[in-house]
Amino acid sequence: MPAIKERPAPADEATVPPPVAPVRQRRRRVSWGVYLALIPVFVMLGAFQYYPAVNGIVHSFFDWKPAAVSEFLGWENYSTMLADAVWWDSFRNLGIIFVFGVVMWVIPLTAAELLVSLRSRRAAFAYRTLLIVPMAFPGMVTALVWQFFYHPNNGVINVLLEQLGLGSLAHNWVGDPDTAMLALLFVGFPFIAGLPFLIFYSTLQNIPAEVLEAAQLDGVGRLARVWRIDLPLMAGQIKILFFLAIVGTLQYGFTAYVVTGGGPDDATVVPILRILNVAYQGQDWGYAAALSTTLFAITLVLSCFVVFARRRNRASA
């Protein structure tokens, strides 16, 4: 009897292979030696970060005399702080510095808008490099250069005014309480090389081309595009930058120390300079620790606020 040949199954009746189950990746166990290697890191952090902070908080309740017996004062240092007019005036100066710095964001924003508009990649790369390179300069160099600009005798500003026939406008810019704060604010002009420029430029680069082309077809002008498209798309970055500026301003003090020293007549004093003056000139270490603890608490609260704000932005995204 001849063998019966099996008829091949139609394509739609072909056997479909079962789906392959995804292979679960096993978590690699980290060797205990890695955790032991982290111990020196925490030891260093404890010795140079946490211990000085805790030590300062504890000694803020004492009439702290290093290498001597310190008398416990309780809340007396903090009561003195509440009546310290120079201390609270330093926060007013910080407020002026913060508001001025935020207003000046219009300069890096304008630079970023102009740079993004360049069609030539070579030109954009060259200009971007020239705008970012000043960020590599040490802050000490910038402060000393501007200190030389403001020199009352042979400073660049006064010499330039003399050359232009405006010698009557020459002034001791950082030696006059009426102009010292204004002179301090303009240190670092034109304020392009910095974090705001990098954030603005990177955000503008990530705007989809389709959005910009649609705006151009709708006849949206350049200024209208900035207000209706660019700034709304940068709202999250601007919010984080705003919070970081608050925390960064609370730590401001280096430039003021180099250029004005907090003077004249405490016209440019900021909290950090007030703490240094109390500690090293007044030799009141306990009171300086109380001021430092207060500034630390304010910075910590605002830093936590920044972290929670970032988490909320990520959750809503």
Side-chain angles (χ1 to χ4, degrees):
M1 183 176 179
I4 301 174
K5 295 182 179 181
E6 295 182 356
R7 185 178 58 182
D12 56 349
E13 297 180 1
T15 304
V16 179
V20 180
V23 179
R24 294 184 178 180
Q25 295 182 353
R26 297 182 179 180
R27 293 184 178 180
R28 298 179 60 184
R29 292 186 177 182
V30 181
S31 174
W32 58 270
V34 176
Y35 295 100
L36 291 179
L38 293 176
I39 293 179
V41 177
F42 289 106
V43 171
M44 298 292 287
L45 285 175
F48 296 100
Q49 296 290 336
Y50 296 113
Y51 173 74
V54 174
N55 188 51
I57 294 174
V58 172
H59 282 94
S60 67
F61 298 96
F62 289 81
D63 181 13
W64 187 13
K65 299 183 183 302
V69 178
S70 301
E71 179 186 357
F72 180 75
L73 300 178
W75 295 96
E76 184 175 337
N77 286 327
Y78 292 93
S79 300
T80 304
M81 179 190 68
L82 295 177
D84 189 346
V86 178
W87 171 249
W88 300 113
D89 287 343
S90 67
F91 282 96
R92 181 197 62 188
N93 293 335
L94 273 189
I96 296 173
I97 294 171
F98 172 77
V99 172
F100 182 83
V102 171
V103 172
M104 289 298 105
W105 285 353
V106 67
I107 297 178
L109 176 61
T110 303
E113 290 282 356
L114 294 175
L115 191 58
V116 169
S117 301
L118 292 177
R119 296 183 179 179
S120 174
R121 293 185 177 180
R122 290 185 178 180
F125 175 78
Y127 285 121
R128 182 173 68 249
T129 303
L130 291 175
L131 293 176
I132 295 178
V133 162
M135 294 182 62
F137 298 159
M140 174 67 76
V141 174
T142 302
L144 291 176
V145 167
W146 279 88
Q147 186 184 44
F148 173 70
F149 285 170
Y150 290 136
H151 195 277
N153 298 325
N154 54 359
V156 174
I157 296 178
N158 286 342
V159 171
L160 182 61
L161 291 175
E162 292 285 350
Q163 295 294 330
L164 295 176
L166 301 174
S168 59
L169 298 179
H171 196 71
N172 186 3
W173 302 101
V174 296
D176 187 350
D178 296 330
T179 59
M181 177 55 71
L182 184 62
L184 184 62
L185 292 175
F186 275 92
V187 172
F189 182 84
F191 317 113
I192 294 179
L195 182 61
F197 172 76
L198 294 179
I199 292 179
F200 294 149
Y201 182 69
S202 61
T203 305
L204 291 174
Q205 278 188 317
N206 293 327
I207 296 178
E210 296 80 5
V211 176
L212 302 180
E213 292 176 358
Q216 187 176 5
L217 292 175
D218 291 340
V220 178
R222 186 57 183 271
L223 292 179
R225 196 197 81 181
V226 172
W227 285 104
R228 298 179 183 178
I229 299 177
D230 296 352
L231 289 179
L233 291 177
M234 289 191 292
Q237 288 80 357
I238 293 176
K239 184 183 298 184
I240 298 301
L241 187 61
F242 183 82
F243 292 143
L244 292 177
I246 295 177
V247 177
T249 304
L250 287 172
Q251 301 174 356
Y252 178 88
F254 175 77
T255 303
Y257 176 78
V258 174
V259 178
T260 65
D265 298 333
D266 296 324
T268 59
V269 67
V270 291
I272 289 182
L273 293 185
R274 178 57 178 165
I275 294 172
L276 293 176
N277 291 336
V278 169
Y280 290 98
Q281 295 183 6
Q283 294 295 308
D284 195 345
W285 298 95
Y287 182 46
L291 297 180
S292 180
T293 301
T294 303
L295 184 61
F296 166 74
I298 296 174
T299 306
L300 180 62
V301 170
L302 291 176
S303 300
C304 294
F305 184 72
V306 170
V307 172
F308 290 136
R310 294 187 64 181
R311 289 184 178 179
R312 181 177 297 180
N313 288 338
R314 292 178 180 177
S316 59

